[in-house]
Amino acid sequence: MNIPELTYSTELFYTVLMMVILLVINFVLKKTAQRIGEKGEIHITRIRLMFRYINILIVILALFLMAVVWGMNLRDLALIFSSVFAVIGVALFAIWSILSNITSGIIMFFNFPYKIGDKIKIHDKDMPIEALIEDIKAFHLHLRTDEGELITYPNNLILQKAVSLIQKDVFLDEGKNAL
């Protein structure tokens, strides 16, 4: 009795190998982001945001590698990716501030001296702001003034303005006073 030969055995082997390698890379990148977040005392919601960015990167990489493994012509693949990136580029040019804010959010994850709970002053000649950082999102910061006003401040602007630290970790100070 003849055992039927798998037609796509090589492709299946490389697919499984690629998935294992991508899972390891995903794990390593997430552990690295978590270590950086813990070392920099970055809030868990910002670390989870980085996890989403890592997942998107891994999915795009997996789609590209799957197409190569399963025999898609590199010329066709280049055409597809260039077309997709051209459409994305036009769309992002039309709404460039969103891309700018996301990029600023990533930069702020790795190198931003202020944390959630810090009271800061933004030195803007048109509208100076003194407020508490309540949350740091992908696109903006949530700032709470002493009057209780909630201000959403774009990430790209916070990197362009001079900022002073008024009080470090107000939440901890409030907890100490409550005891």
Side-chain angles (χ1 to χ4, degrees), residues 12 23 56 105 132 161 169 173 176:
L12 289 173
L23 286 173
I56 290 169
L132 175 77
K161 303 289 181 183
D169 211 349
D173 292 340
K176 289 177 189 172

Side-chain angles (χ1 to χ4, degrees), residues 161-177:
K161 303 289 181 183
V163 179
S164 301
L165 178 64
I166 303 296
Q167 187 177 359
K168 188 90 175 141
D169 211 349
V170 173
F171 293 142
L172 284 180
D173 292 340
E174 288 173 359
K176 289 177 189 172
N177 293 336

